[in-house]
Amino acid sequence: MSPPVVAPAVVAPAGWRIACAYVPDFPLAVASRGLDVQAAELPTVLIRESGHQAMVQAANASALAIGIRAGQSASRARARWEGLRCLSWDAATFEAAQRALVTRLHEASPMVVPADGHLGVFWIDARGMRFFGGEPGLTERLLRLLNVEGYPQGRVAVADTAVVAQAASRWGETPCQIVPPGADQRFLSGLSLDALDLDAGLCSALAGLGIHTVAALQKLPHRALIERFGPHARQAIERAMAWDLRLPEGRRSPTLPEVALSLDPPVEQSARLIFGLRGLVERLAARLIAHGLSATRLTLCLRLDDHTESSEELEPARPLHHPRPLFELLRDRLERWRVGSPVVELVLKVGAAQPAVPEQAHLGAARWSPQALEGVLNRLHGRFGEEVVMIATPIDAHRPEGAGTWQPVETVPVGSLDWQPEPTEDRFGSTDPAAIHRILPEPAPITVRLDPEGQPVAVRWAGRWHSASTSGPERLSGDWWTDAPFAREDYRLHLDDGSTLWISRDARKPRGWWLRGWLD
Amino acid sequence: MNSRIDSLLRQTRPKPLSTTPLSSGLSAFDALLPEGIPAGQLTEFVGPDSSGKTSLLHRIIMRTQTRGTSVGYVDAERSLMPADWCTSAPGLLWVVRPPRPTEGAFCIEVLLRSCSFGLVILDGGPPLAPRLATRLQRMARHSAAALLLVRHGQRSSIRVAERIRFAGRPSVDGARVLMVREKNGPTTGVEACFTQRSWSSCTVHASGADRPQARSRVGARYGR
C-alpha cells in the first residue's frame, strides 16, 4: 500500500515554468564589487552590529579557509587573521543592489521578483520563451546579465516549481540547470535534506532517525510524520514532494477560497447552524470548481457572541469539491460541536487544495460508488477518528492472536471492489467451515482445577463450574531478542455445555491461568 | 444515433443491487433457512458465547464475497481476531470497530445509508430500542441490504424477519452447533459442525522459528 497518505496540499499549476537566479553570498558579492581580483581574494567578512555585539554575517572563501565562520564575534574573527578585511553590513546598499539587478534581469523576462527573505534569490517567469531560444536561451541570457551586473558567480535554474528551481540553482551540478517538465520530484530525490531549507529542529530529528536525503523523506508515511512533528513536517513534505504553488508574484496562487455566513440574530441551535452550513458549503464548492481545485484540508470556524472563536481542522478521506460529501463531512462535525455562546458567524476556509481530477460523468447514477464509500469513511472518521474502519491484514507472527492486524482504511481504493471468486470454498482447505476465534483485548485471569498431572479438568466460566476435556498444550515461545519475551502453554478446553475456551499459562511462572478468548 | 446511445447507456448502466437472499453454503444452515438470509430485512442470530454464531457469520461473509457483494461488519465488542478475517478481497469486507459498543448502531446507520453494502452486520452492543430497530429495518429495505444482528445472550424484543438461536453441543473432535429457527418455521433445529483448526494453521507460517520442528531444522543447519 503506497499511495501518499497525505493528499498533496498544493501542486504547481500545469504549464508553469519558473526560473530562479541565485547569487551565492549576495551581500558579500555586493560589498566586494569593484575590487580588483587580488583584493577580492583577501580574507573578507561582513560584520553586522546589533546592540553591543558585532557578529560575522558572511565570510568569503579565503576567510572560511582560515576557520572564520558566520556567527562568530568580530573580535574573534579578527584574532584569527591580522589582515582580515571587515566590511560593514549595509542593508540599504543590498536592497539597492537587488533592485538594480531586478531591473537588469527584466531584459530577459517581463516578470522578475526578488524572493522574500532571501537576498540574492530572484524568481523569473520562464513561460513563453520558445521564440527566444527556449529555456536554454533564457538561462544563458540570465547568466550573461548577472555577469554584466558584476556577479560572475551567479547560478540559474528552471523547473516546474519554485522549491525545485531554488534547490537546482543552489545545488545543481552546473551554474545553469534545467529540470525537465514533470521531473521535479525525481530531481529532488537525488539531493540531501539541506536542499529543502527545513526547520533546524526537524532536520536534526530526521538525522537522528537516519533520514538524510530527500528520497528517504519522500518515502516516509506522511500522516505519521505530521502527527509527530507538526506543521514543520507538513512543510517538509510539501517541499520534498514538490507540492508548491508559489509563482513569481511571490504569493500562492490561486487564492484558496474562504466563505463566511453572518448570523443575525446569533444562533445557538445546531440544527439552524446546519441549515446555514448547507448554503455555505454550496458557495465554497462553487468557488472550488471555478478554480479547478479540490480541497484536501478545511477549517471550520465559529465566531461567537462573546468575541471568541472556535475552529477545527478537517481532512477529508480524499480531495473534495462536490458540495454533498463536503456537507456530510462538516455536518457530522458541527452536530457534535458544543460552544458556550451563540454563534455570530460561520466561516469555512480551504486550508489546502490540489487541482481537481477530471471525473467520469455519472451515467446511470450508480448507487454503488466510491463516492458513497467515501461518505461512509468521512462520517466515521469525523466521529471516531481514523482508527475505526479496518481491514484485516496477515502478519508473519507465531502467536495466533498476532498473526494478523487491523489496518485502518484511510482512502477508498479505486477498483478494490473488483474481485474474482476463488475456486476453493475454504481458505484452510477443509470441507467443514472453520471455527472462528473471539479474543479478549487483554487476557483475563480464570480459575481452573487441575488433575494430578497438571492438566485442566474443570473451569469456572459464566458463573459456574464446568467439567472440561482438554486439547493441548501448544507450547509457544519467542521474542527472546526483545524486552518482552514470551513462553506459554495454550490449551483448548471443551466444556460440558459445548463451549470451547482458549486458555493459557505462562511456562516460566506456571501459577496462574489466563483466558485469551473462545471459539465461537 | 439514438440506438447507439441507448446501447451505450445499457452497457454503462450499473447492475442493480442484488435483492436475492444470501446463503451460507453450509448445508445444515441452508436446510434450516432454505430461502437464505433475506435482503432488505432484519435477521437476528442469538446464542451464548462460543455457540457458533461467528463461525457461521464468517461462512456467510465469505460466501457473500464470492458474489462480489460488499460486507460491512460492525464489531461493537472489538473481539474479532484479525487473522481469521484476512481475505483475498479486503476491499469487500470493512470491519468497523467503534470505540464504545453503544456506538455500533450509529455505524450501522452510516453503512446502510451509503447503499454500498449488500450485507451489514451489527455484532454485539446493547439491545436496540424498538424505534431504532424499525428505522434501521426501513433503511435496510431502502438499500436492499441484508441486516444481521448478532446477540450474545438473550434474544431481543424487537420484531425481526428471521431469528436463529444457537447452542453449542459437547464435542471433542470439532465444534458442534445446534441451530434453531425460531420464527416462520419449524422449531426443530439442525446440527452443524465446525472444524477446530490446529494451532499452527492459525498463523501465517506454520513452522515458525520458535516451533519445535523449525528449531530442529535451524539447529541442523548450524550443526547443533
Side-chain angles (χ1 to χ4, degrees):
Chain A
M1 277 184 55
S2 60
V5 184
V6 173
V10 280
V11 292
W16 266 93
R17 296 288 287 165
I18 300 171
C20 179
Y22 167 60
V23 180
D25 296 326
F26 182 74
L28 208 58
V30 172
S32 307
R33 273 190 310 176
L35 297 176
D36 58 40
V37 177
Q38 279 185 344
E41 283 179 358
L42 284 173
T44 307
V45 292
L46 270 176
I47 304 290
R48 187 174 197 172
E49 290 186 14
S50 59
H52 298 293
Q53 273 202 321
M55 308 293 288
V56 174
Q57 280 292 310
N60 70 355
S62 311
L64 290 172
I66 57 174
I68 296 172
R69 298 282 179 271
Q72 281 180 347
S73 66
S75 53
R76 193 169 172 181
R78 285 194 193 98
R80 283 246 170 209
W81 188 261
E82 193 184 355
L84 183 68
R85 191 149 53 99
C86 296
L87 306 172
S88 59
W89 184 272
D90 185 356
T93 307
F94 302 145
E95 286 291 328
Q98 282 228 122
R99 280 197 300 276
L101 192 48
V102 166
T103 309
R104 177 69 71 179
L105 293 178
H106 268 130
E107 292 175 22
S109 171
M111 190 184 289
V112 181
V113 181
D116 284 340
H118 291 91
L119 284 171
V121 178
F122 304 88
W123 305 125
I124 296 137
D125 184 1
R127 293 174 303 164
M129 294 292 164
R130 64 183 184 279
F131 298 120
F132 305 96
E135 288 171 359
L138 173 71
T139 50
E140 192 186 317
R141 281 197 303 282
L142 288 170
L143 278 180
R144 185 171 48 79
L145 292 170
L146 287 171
N147 206 4
V148 167
E149 201 62 18
Y151 307 105
Q153 70 275 50
R155 301 170 69 88
V156 175
V158 184
D160 287 343
T161 54
V163 64
V164 177
Q166 187 173 5
S169 65
R170 185 168 295 188
W171 302 92
E173 288 170 0
T174 57
C176 169
Q177 189 88 28
I178 297 175
V179 181
D184 276 16
Q185 259 187 37
R186 200 166 60 242
F187 176 82
L188 279 180
S189 65
L191 301 179
S192 81
L193 281 184
D194 297 336
L196 299 181
D197 197 16
L198 300 179
D199 172 67
L202 178 67
C203 259
S204 64
L206 290 173
L209 294 169
I211 309 295
H212 300 288
T213 62
V214 179
L217 181 60
Q218 287 170 344
K219 286 177 193 158
L220 286 181
H222 300 166
R223 194 177 295 279
L225 199 67
I226 291 168
E227 277 169 8
R228 288 185 189 188
F229 297 108
H232 289 309
R234 180 179 291 280
Q235 188 189 44
I237 288 166
E238 284 181 3
R239 288 184 183 175
M241 302 302 288
W243 295 332
D244 190 356
L245 268 184
R246 282 178 301 167
L247 299 178
E249 289 93 342
R251 56 186 160 80
R252 290 189 166 195
S253 178
T255 313
L256 295 173
E258 175 181 334
V259 287
L261 175 69
S262 295
L263 302 163
D264 189 19
V267 171
E268 273 183 295
Q269 296 168 341
S270 64
R272 289 187 60 195
L273 281 178
I274 289 167
F275 183 76
L277 179 70
R278 186 181 287 274
L280 203 62
V281 165
E282 281 172 3
R283 277 167 53 202
L284 185 81
R287 290 183 61 180
L288 278 170
I289 291 167
H291 284 111
L293 294 173
S294 284
T296 55
R297 197 168 65 242
L298 293 152
T299 307
L300 181 60
C301 175
L302 303 184
R303 293 197 176 128
L304 307 178
D305 204 18
D306 59 3
H307 304 289
T308 58
E309 233 179 59
S310 175
S311 66
E312 203 163 337
E313 207 167 77
L314 301 101
E315 286 191 3
R318 67 171 195 160
L320 290 179
H321 58 269
H322 286 302
R324 192 170 161 187
L326 273 171
F327 175 68
E328 287 292 329
L329 174 72
L330 295 163
R331 183 184 68 170
D332 192 64
R333 194 60 65 97
L334 202 56
E335 273 175 350
R336 292 176 294 111
W337 210 321
R338 297 285 170 267
V339 288
S341 179
V343 180
V344 294
E345 195 174 29
L346 204 56
V347 182
L348 189 53
K349 300 175 201 171
V350 176
Q354 70 172 72
V357 179
E359 288 177 356
Q360 177 77 37
H362 292 271
L363 286 174
R367 289 172 70 195
W368 186 307
S369 66
Q371 283 83 1
L373 291 173
E374 169 205 316
V376 172
L377 275 189
N378 281 337
R379 286 211 77 184
L380 294 176
H381 284 177
R383 187 159 176 132
F384 305 119
E386 301 214 335
E387 306 253 323
V388 63
V389 182
M390 305 287 191
I391 52 174
T393 315
I395 284 185
D396 185 3
H398 308 310
R399 282 176 282 191
E401 72 274 18
T405 183
W406 293 115
Q407 193 112 36
V409 179
E410 290 171 341
T411 55
V412 178
V414 177
S416 70
L417 301 180
D418 300 334
W419 185 62
Q420 297 301 316
E422 287 181 347
T424 52
E425 279 287 313
D426 191 308
R427 78 184 176 101
F428 305 110
S430 167
T431 49
D432 282 335
I436 298 299
H437 295 86
R438 288 275 185 173
I439 53 171
L440 299 173
E442 290 295 328
I446 190 167
T447 314
V448 172
R449 279 187 196 144
L450 307 177
D451 66 4
E453 292 176 357
Q455 296 285 305
V457 288
V459 63
R460 191 166 174 79
W461 162 249
R464 70 181 185 89
W465 282 95
H466 295 266
S467 60
S469 59
T470 308
S471 58
E474 165 79 2
R475 294 196 172 91
L476 294 171
S477 63
D479 283 0
W480 45 266
W481 55 91
T482 69
D483 293 336
F486 67 90
R488 69 183 209 219
E489 293 176 351
D490 284 10
Y491 289 85
R492 279 184 186 145
L493 296 188
H494 309 286
L495 309 192
D496 51 11
D497 67 350
S499 308
T500 303
L501 303 187
W502 172 16
I503 64 168
S504 70
R505 67 175 167 185
D506 196 329
R508 295 164 302 179
K509 294 177 286 180
R511 300 290 295 173
W513 288 85
W514 300 88
L515 175 67
R516 297 199 161 267
W518 54 88
L519 287 173
D520 186 22
Chain B
M1 186 65 177
N2 282 341
S3 64
R4 287 183 64 188
I5 290 173
D6 279 346
S7 73
L8 184 65
L9 279 174
R10 263 199 298 280
Q11 284 168 21
T12 54
R13 191 169 295 146
K15 281 190 292 186
L17 283 177
S18 170
T19 52
T20 51
L22 306 172
S23 72
S24 67
L26 188 67
S27 54
F29 181 78
D30 290 344
L32 185 70
L33 211 63
E35 55 275 36
I37 297 172
Q41 303 273 2
L42 204 156
T43 304
E44 190 176 47
F45 283 6
V46 187
D49 287 333
S50 191
S51 58
K53 301 180 299 299
T54 317
S55 304
L56 183 65
L57 267 182
H58 185 268
R59 182 72 177 193
I60 292 168
I61 289 169
M62 296 302 141
R63 183 80 172 186
T64 306
Q65 286 191 326
T66 60
R67 294 166 38 165
T69 302
S70 198
V71 180
Y73 191 140
V74 179
D75 176 21
E77 310 280 354
R78 299 172 70 92
S79 60
L80 295 182
M81 192 167 92
D84 289 332
W85 300 89
C86 300
T87 72
S88 56
L92 285 178
L93 172 61
W94 278 13
V95 179
V96 182
R97 309 183 85 218
R100 288 168 297 280
T102 49
E103 308 275 12
F106 170 81
C107 300
I108 283 289
E109 203 175 319
V110 173
L111 294 177
L112 285 174
R113 202 186 284 274
S114 73
C115 299
S116 296
F117 297 89
L119 172 62
V120 178
I121 300 160
L122 174 57
D123 187 348
L128 292 182
R131 188 177 293 176
L132 177 59
T134 308
R135 191 164 90 230
L136 292 180
Q137 181 142 21
R138 200 178 302 136
M139 290 168 76
R141 194 180 313 130
H142 172 71
S143 67
L147 174 58
L148 228 163
L149 301 183
V150 182
R151 300 268 315 131
H152 305 284
Q154 294 302 309
R155 52 169 280 191
S156 62
S157 57
I158 57 176
R159 293 184 61 183
V160 294
E162 294 288 350
R163 179 176 286 122
I164 310 290
R165 178 171 289 284
F166 288 73
R169 283 294 170 97
S171 166
V172 287
D173 55 340
R176 301 200 78 78
V177 174
L178 175 69
M179 295 180 283
V180 179
R181 185 181 182 186
E182 284 200 345
K183 202 174 163 71
N184 302 332
T187 51
T188 53
V190 293
E191 266 196 20
C193 185
F194 294 95
T195 314
Q196 292 187 0
R197 282 178 282 136
S198 65
W199 290 102
S200 56
S201 68
C202 297
T203 54
V204 176
H205 294 297
S207 54
D210 57 352
R211 293 183 185 280
Q213 66 272 30
R215 199 156 48 225
S216 64
R217 266 209 309 278
V218 172
R221 183 191 288 178
Y222 292 99
R224 279 178 279 162

